[in-house]
């Protein structure tokens, strides 16, 4: 879906740009639904670079949306996760109940517009961790105690047990990775999921 050159550009953009807080707040006030979602990663967004524009147009083509319309597209969120960084479970559609102060109809079921789909681009390979978790899909029915014991053993064996507080939300997400459907990142791969059903209703 994207090239090694584009990946390297985006990594460089993330590593060498500091987000302008006023710019980010303005952008999030229009599009970001996750103000109260926990995350501790570094984030920069790229809305207008030639690489960003090219990838956004490619995404429209993949989704069969023609012609390309910039007003329906968002900038690329470039997110950097270190060893204990995480992003708590959340939905990618925009909750109109949260965004009551914005003059926009987010209900696609009755003629409005919302986030139709999300495409995640993976810029790096990782030895372990970094999974994208689909928290509504349970694939492992083992007890929490057993899974937590396995996680603790893993953290000790890799000498990273101090990276997570025992009762932290980040530690809780390690359990989610063992219990729920996950996608392991692989460089230059992309993951597509839809936020709405074909009739415009929200896809939970």
């Amino acid at each position: 879906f994207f090239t090694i050159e584009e990946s390297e550009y985006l990594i460089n953009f993330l590593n060498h740009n500091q987000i302008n807080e006023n710019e980010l707040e303005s952008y999030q006030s229009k599009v970001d639904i996750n103000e109260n979602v926990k995350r501790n990663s570094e984030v920069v967004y790229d809305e207008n670079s030639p690489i960003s524009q090219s990838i956004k147009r490619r995404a429209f083509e993949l989704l069969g949306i023609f012609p390309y319309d910039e007003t329906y597209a968002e900038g690329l969120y470039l997110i950097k996760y270190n060893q204990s960084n995480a992003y708590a479970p959340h939905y990618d559609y925009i909750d109109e109940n949260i965004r009551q102060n914005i003059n926009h109809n987010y209900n696609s079921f009755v003629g409005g517009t919302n986030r139709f789909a999300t495409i995640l681009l993976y810029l790096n390979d990782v030895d372990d961790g970094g999974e994208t978790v689909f928290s509504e899909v349970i694939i492992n029915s083992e007890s929490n105690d057993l899974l937590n014991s396995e996680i603790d053993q893993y953290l000790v064996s890799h000498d990273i047990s101090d990276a997570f507080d025992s009762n932290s939300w980040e530690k809780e997400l390690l359990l989610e990775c063992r219990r729920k459907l996950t996608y392991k990142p692989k460089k230059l791969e992309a993951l597509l999921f839809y936020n709405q059903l074909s009739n415009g209703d929200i896809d939970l």
Side-chain angles (χ1 to χ4, degrees), residues 1-3 5-7 9-10 13 45-59 68 70 74-76 78 121:
F1 183 75
F2 65 115
T3 68
E5 291 79 14
E6 289 171 329
S7 172
Y9 169 85
L10 294 174
F13 187 96
Y45 85 97
D46 177 8
E47 188 173 17
N48 297 312
S49 75
I51 295 295
S52 172
Q53 288 291 319
S54 177
I55 290 175
K56 289 192 291 182
R57 289 177 180 274
R58 205 174 307 149
Y68 176 79
E70 179 68 23
E74 297 184 33
L76 301 185
L78 306 177
L121 310 180

Side-chain angles (χ1 to χ4, degrees), residues 78 112 122 128 145 165:
L78 306 177
Y122 296 96
D128 207 354
D145 287 343
D165 293 333

Side-chain angles (χ1 to χ4, degrees), residues 78-149:
L78 306 177
I79 304 176
K80 182 178 181 179
Y81 296 98
N82 291 317
Q83 190 173 68
S84 60
N85 289 161
Y87 199 161
H90 60 278
Y91 296 112
D92 265 11
Y93 72 87
I94 299 174
D95 187 341
E96 60 183 340
N97 295 317
I98 293 177
R99 284 299 178 192
Q100 292 178 350
N101 62 320
I102 302 298
N103 185 24
H104 182 83
N105 176 12
Y106 288 113
N107 191 340
S108 300
F109 193 68
V110 290
T113 57
N114 207 312
R115 283 175 171 158
F116 175 61
T118 297
I119 301 176
L120 302 181
L121 310 180
Y122 296 96
L123 306 180
N124 284 314
D125 289 315
V126 294
D127 293 331
D128 207 354
E131 296 93 347
T132 298
V133 181
F134 293 90
S135 58
E136 297 296 320
V137 185
I138 299 175
I139 61 172
N140 190 336
S141 60
E142 293 182 1
S143 70
N144 285 355
D145 287 343
L146 179 58
L147 292 173
N148 275 319
S149 177

Side-chain angles (χ1 to χ4, degrees), residues 151-168:
I151 291 169
D152 288 339
Q153 292 176 23
Y154 173 86
L155 295 177
V156 170
S157 67
H158 287 74
D159 196 27
I160 54 174
S161 56
D162 292 339
F164 299 91
D165 293 333
S166 59
N167 295 317
S168 67

